[in-house]
């Protein structure tokens, strides 16, 4: 055992570093040092300034001219603190930033470039000036080329904003970023992590991959999961919801019927001269050809005139009146037949009585006793 330990010690001593700087430093394992912290630039790090002049310029739309003219003094004074010269050219419609002899921070010119880009994309000047801080980053997402159809693009852009900008406000709170949707671009300001989330949400919304509301739900769940230290090193996919598209319109692929392969080419189509030879027009004189063409033209005109006349007369043809069908007819049909039969029977009775009165024997009437006469009269009166 002692021999083995001695060999290990010898091997450790024999280990050589590749370079002279590849040696363990005392600050490598220091727990008090935060390696992710961005320290504020100190001008003493670069006392001599920059050797070359760097400049960036960008154009802005005409509707921003008035606002930029008013806000330019604030922008100029903010850049002057870092030793950056700014110029607003209203003739060309451009903004230019460049380094000077007083510039010490070499990266501030990149920040100044981002500032004029944000100003041209309708970001307010007080918000755009915040980009000069080291911890603040920006991203301008181009969404104009993601959708071809103009109406569809406008609908999806509005989906990103939401009713009364509610969706946009929720995204700003969850990602800790400032988001502005303007025209064909989306300007975002915040940390690198937040900007990455914003870009993904915007692209998914415009490309119709996922609705922003679903992204908001996922971000809210992630915020809650971050609070639990036990889930720090675990995979969160089992906690996050998965959303599937329900009504996806798939285009039906039209299957073309394949014709059987033949090595021979298709038959040659008859030319205009061949057609004239078949019909006999080729041998007609020019005068007869013109006369025939004129006759065909007259026939076509007559057909067209007749069709137009028929269309005009259609407006004066009265429409067919709808026949009203009584619903009670079918129900009262049997009752009407019964009533008709009853009335016919009554009329037949009356007719029979009248006939019997007309055929009375006179002798029997006279020879009848006097007592019976008034009764007969009464009867007669009754019949009448």
């Amino acid at each position: 055992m002692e021999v083995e330990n001695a060999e290990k010690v010898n091997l450790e001593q024999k280990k050589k570093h590749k370079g002279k700087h590849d040696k363990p430093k005392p600050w490598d394992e220091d727990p008090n040092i935060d390696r992710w912290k961005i320290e504020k630039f100190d001008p003493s790090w670069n006392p001599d300034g920059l050797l070359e002049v760097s400049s960036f310029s960008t154009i802005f739309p005409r509707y921003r001219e008035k606002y930029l003219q008013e806000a330019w003094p604030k922008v100029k004074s903010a850049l002057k603190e870092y030793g950056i010269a700014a110029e607003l050219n209203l003739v060309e419609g451009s903004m230019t930033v460049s380094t000077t002899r007083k510039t010490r921070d070499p990266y501030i010119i990149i920040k100044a470039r981002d500032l004029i880009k944000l100003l041209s994309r309708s970001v307010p000047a007080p918000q755009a000036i915040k980009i000069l801080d080291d911890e603040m980053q920006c991203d301008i997402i181009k969404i104009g080329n993601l959708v071809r159809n103009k109406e569809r693009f406008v609908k999806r852009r509005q989906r990103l904003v939401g009713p009364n900008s509610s969706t946009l406000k929720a995204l700003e709170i969850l990602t800790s970023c400032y988001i502005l949707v303007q025209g064909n671009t989306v300007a975002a300001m915040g940390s690198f992590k937040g900007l990455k989330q914003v870009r993904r949400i915007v692209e998914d919304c415009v490309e119709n991959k996922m609705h922003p509301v679903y992204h908001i739900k996922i971000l809210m769940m992630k915020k809650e999961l971050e609070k639990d230290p036990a889930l720090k090193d675990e995979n969160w996919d089992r906690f996050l919801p998965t959303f599937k598209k329900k009504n996806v319109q798939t285009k039906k692929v039209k299957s073309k019927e394949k014709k059987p392969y033949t090595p021979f080419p298709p038959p040659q189509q008859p030319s205009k001269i061949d057609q004239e030879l078949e019909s006999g027009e080729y041998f007609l004189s020019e005068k007869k050809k013109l006369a025939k063409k004129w006759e065909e033209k007259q026939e076509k005109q007559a057909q067209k005139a007749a069709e137009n006349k028929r269309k005009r007369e259609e407006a004066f043809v009265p429409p067919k009146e709808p026949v009203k069908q009584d619903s009670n007819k079918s129900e009262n049909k049997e009752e009407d037949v019964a009533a008709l039969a009853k009335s016919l029977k009554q009329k037949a009775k009356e007719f029979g009585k009248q006939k019997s009165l007309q055929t009375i024997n006179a002798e029997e009437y006279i020879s009848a006793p006097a007592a019976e006469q008034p009764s007969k009269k009464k009867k007669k009166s009754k019949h009448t």
Side-chain angles (χ1 to χ4, degrees):
M1 288 292 289
E2 290 176 4
V3 175
E4 287 178 6
N5 290 332
E7 284 178 1
K8 283 180 183 178
V9 171
N10 291 330
L11 286 168
E12 285 176 5
Q13 287 175 357
K14 284 178 183 178
K15 274 186 181 177
K16 289 183 179 180
H17 298 286
K18 290 180 182 177
K20 63 178 181 179
H21 301 294
D22 191 17
K23 292 176 182 178
K25 277 89 176 175
W27 55 84
D28 282 348
E29 296 175 3
D30 192 355
N32 299 323
I33 296 170
D34 185 9
R35 291 174 183 78
W36 293 101
K37 189 182 177 183
I38 300 167
E39 292 182 11
K40 196 176 180 181
F41 181 80
D42 190 0
S44 61
W45 297 348
N46 186 17
D48 299 327
L50 306 173
L51 296 171
E52 295 289 335
V53 176
S54 303
S55 65
F56 292 99
S57 64
T58 184
I59 55 172
F60 57 86
R62 192 173 287 176
Y63 61 84
R64 291 288 290 166
E65 188 175 320
K66 191 178 178 183
Y67 177 79
L68 288 170
Q69 212 168 350
E70 293 170 2
W72 196 248
K74 290 180 185 177
V75 176
K76 204 170 182 180
S77 62
L79 289 168
K80 196 175 182 182
E81 291 176 13
Y82 297 93
I84 298 289
E87 187 188 348
L88 177 69
N89 192 337
L90 296 173
V91 178
E92 293 178 2
S94 65
M95 293 178 282
T96 310
V97 287
S98 58
T99 56
T100 59
R101 288 181 181 179
K102 292 179 181 179
T103 309
R104 294 289 176 267
D105 187 358
Y107 191 71
I108 198 67
I109 187 64
I110 305 297
K111 292 278 187 179
R113 180 201 65 184
D114 293 342
L115 170 62
I116 58 173
K117 273 188 183 179
L118 292 167
L119 286 169
S120 66
R121 293 316 308 148
S122 300
V123 177
Q127 178 66 35
I129 288 166
K130 290 178 184 177
I131 196 66
L132 298 172
D133 298 337
D134 289 335
E135 293 178 1
M136 186 70 74
Q137 311 299 328
C138 78
D139 189 10
I140 294 166
I141 307 153
K142 292 178 182 179
I143 56 172
N145 300 328
L146 298 175
V147 184
R148 288 184 181 181
N149 193 343
K150 181 82 174 178
E151 291 175 7
R152 200 174 290 168
F153 169 72
V154 171
K155 281 181 183 177
R156 289 180 189 175
R157 187 178 62 184
Q158 187 57 37
R159 190 187 297 170
L160 185 65
V161 176
N164 298 322
S165 303
S166 57
T167 310
L168 205 66
K169 284 173 188 172
L171 289 170
E172 283 182 350
I173 292 161
L174 291 165
T175 58
S176 305
C177 290
Y178 170 83
I179 307 165
L180 179 75
V181 181
Q182 174 67 28
N184 293 334
T185 57
V186 177
M189 289 174 66
S191 62
F192 284 116
K193 186 184 175 183
L195 292 174
K196 193 179 178 182
Q197 289 172 342
V198 169
R199 178 172 274 277
R200 188 184 169 191
I201 292 162
V202 169
E203 286 178 354
D204 283 0
C205 175
V206 178
E207 289 175 355
N208 202 27
K209 286 181 180 177
M210 192 186 284
H211 199 280
V213 172
Y214 298 146
H215 275 294
I216 288 165
K217 285 181 181 179
I218 291 165
L219 287 170
M220 285 170 74
M221 291 194 78
K222 281 182 178 178
K223 285 269 182 187
E224 291 298 317
L225 291 165
E226 279 174 8
K227 293 174 185 177
D228 192 357
L231 301 168
K232 189 180 178 183
D233 300 323
E234 289 187 25
N235 191 6
W236 292 350
D237 289 344
R238 57 199 171 100
F239 301 109
L240 301 175
T242 52
F243 302 102
K244 292 179 182 178
K245 284 187 180 180
K246 290 180 182 178
N247 51 349
V248 182
Q249 294 178 354
T250 53
K251 288 184 179 179
K252 291 180 181 178
V253 180
K254 292 180 181 179
S255 58
K256 291 181 179 179
E257 292 181 3
K258 287 186 177 180
K259 293 177 182 179
Y261 173 74
T262 54
F264 306 104
Q268 191 177 356
Q269 297 298 319
S271 64
K272 197 175 181 181
I273 296 166
D274 293 337
Q275 288 172 357
E276 285 179 358
L277 284 165
E278 282 179 13
S279 61
E281 285 181 31
Y282 186 77
F283 304 103
L284 294 173
S285 62
E286 285 292 325
K287 197 174 182 181
K288 285 182 179 180
K289 281 180 182 178
L290 290 168
K292 195 176 181 182
K293 277 185 182 178
W294 186 79
E295 281 176 12
E296 287 175 0
K297 194 178 180 181
Q298 290 295 320
E299 281 177 13
K300 282 182 182 177
Q301 282 180 354
Q303 285 176 5
K304 194 74 178 173
E307 193 180 341
N308 290 337
K309 190 181 179 182
R310 184 178 56 76
K311 283 180 181 177
R312 283 197 299 272
E313 286 174 355
E314 276 179 4
F316 301 102
V317 175
K320 290 181 180 179
E321 293 183 2
V323 180
K324 290 183 179 178
Q325 294 181 351
D326 294 336
S327 59
N328 298 327
K329 260 188 180 182
S330 58
E331 294 173 5
N332 302 330
K333 197 173 182 181
E334 292 177 3
E335 292 177 12
D336 293 347
V337 170
L340 186 66
K342 198 175 181 181
S343 65
L344 285 168
K345 280 180 183 179
Q346 199 172 355
K347 282 180 182 179
K349 259 185 184 181
E350 286 175 4
F351 182 73
K353 284 176 183 179
Q354 283 176 5
K355 202 170 183 183
S356 64
L357 284 169
Q358 285 173 3
T359 56
I360 294 169
N361 197 355
E363 290 176 1
E364 287 177 5
Y365 185 76
I366 293 161
S367 63
E372 289 180 4
Q373 279 179 7
S375 64
K376 278 183 180 179
K377 279 180 185 177
K378 279 179 187 177
K379 281 179 183 177
K380 194 176 183 182
S381 63
K382 275 179 187 179
H383 287 302
T384 54

